[in-house]
Amino acid sequence: PQGRTREQAMSFVTLAEAKAHLRVYGNDDDALIGIYIAAAENSAVAIVDRGVYADDAAKEAAIDAAPGALADATVAYAASITAAHELADACDKAAAIKAANASYIRAQVAFRKATDGIVADDIIKAATLLIIGHLYENREDVVAGQALSKLPNGAEWLLNAYKVYA
């Protein structure tokens, strides 16, 4: 899944920062803005293709956990491959091997993202706030009488410097 890992669960944009950016002063939209914060952060993390953490402690915790998680995945992969080879049906065997390979690749990618992780700086926060603003102002996929829009170019431009091409 494209969602955030346990290590990234701590938000790097606060509700107060998002509300200040949106110029929202009441509490009526807090739950909605919280959803937009999570979506925008997930989008920013997907664009840079690496772990993005709220602070050094969260980053170090993710890096410290990464080898153990990869080791666990390696053991699970070996067990899955062994079990797959014991299947009699060729289609079932192929599907089980494919599933084991996909799971192991996800674990390897998670390891790389953690070890390539960075702490969210002002540029990453600014890009995330641009995405939050876009989501807040454009609550529908299509609005009659307005031009179609996509992720704000400013956000992509800001995040591009942090992208890992792996």
Side-chain angles (χ1 to χ4, degrees):
Q2 297 241 353
R4 312 252 317 259
T5 65
R6 198 168 9 126
E7 292 81 16
Q8 294 169 287
M10 188 185 331
S11 184
F12 54 85
V13 171
T14 67
L15 180 61
E17 289 169 328
K19 287 173 72 171
H21 175 74
L22 299 171
R23 294 186 179 98
V24 171
Y25 303 105
N27 298 326
D28 292 347
D29 285 346
D30 284 4
L32 180 65
I33 294 169
I35 292 169
Y36 292 157
I37 290 169
E41 288 180 345
N42 284 334
S43 180
V45 168
I47 290 169
V48 300
D49 196 26
R50 64 196 313 174
V52 179
Y53 304 97
D55 54 35
D56 285 321
K59 176 185 166 192
E60 292 306 317
I63 290 171
D64 289 347
L70 186 58
D72 291 346
T74 302
V75 169
Y77 172 74
S80 296
I81 292 298
T82 299
H85 285 296
E86 293 174 3
L87 295 173
D89 183 75
C91 290
D92 290 344
K93 183 184 292 188
I97 290 171
K98 182 177 179 180
N101 287 334
S103 180
Y104 190 55
I105 289 169
R106 282 192 298 275
Q108 290 172 321
V109 169
F111 177 84
R112 190 226 1 116
K113 286 182 178 184
T115 57
D116 283 344
I118 56 175
V119 174
D121 62 9
D122 289 342
I123 294 171
I124 293 172
K125 284 185 173 189
T128 304
L129 288 168
L130 285 174
I131 298 168
I132 292 166
H134 179 75
L135 292 171
Y136 189 77
E137 291 300 319
N138 301 287
R139 298 181 190 201
E140 305 296 331
D141 281 341
V142 178
V143 179
Q146 293 186 6
L148 299 177
S149 62
K150 64 178 194 105
L151 180 66
N153 287 335
E156 286 186 65
W157 181 80
L158 287 169
L159 292 169
N160 207 30
Y162 297 91
K163 185 168 179 60
V164 172
Y165 294 93

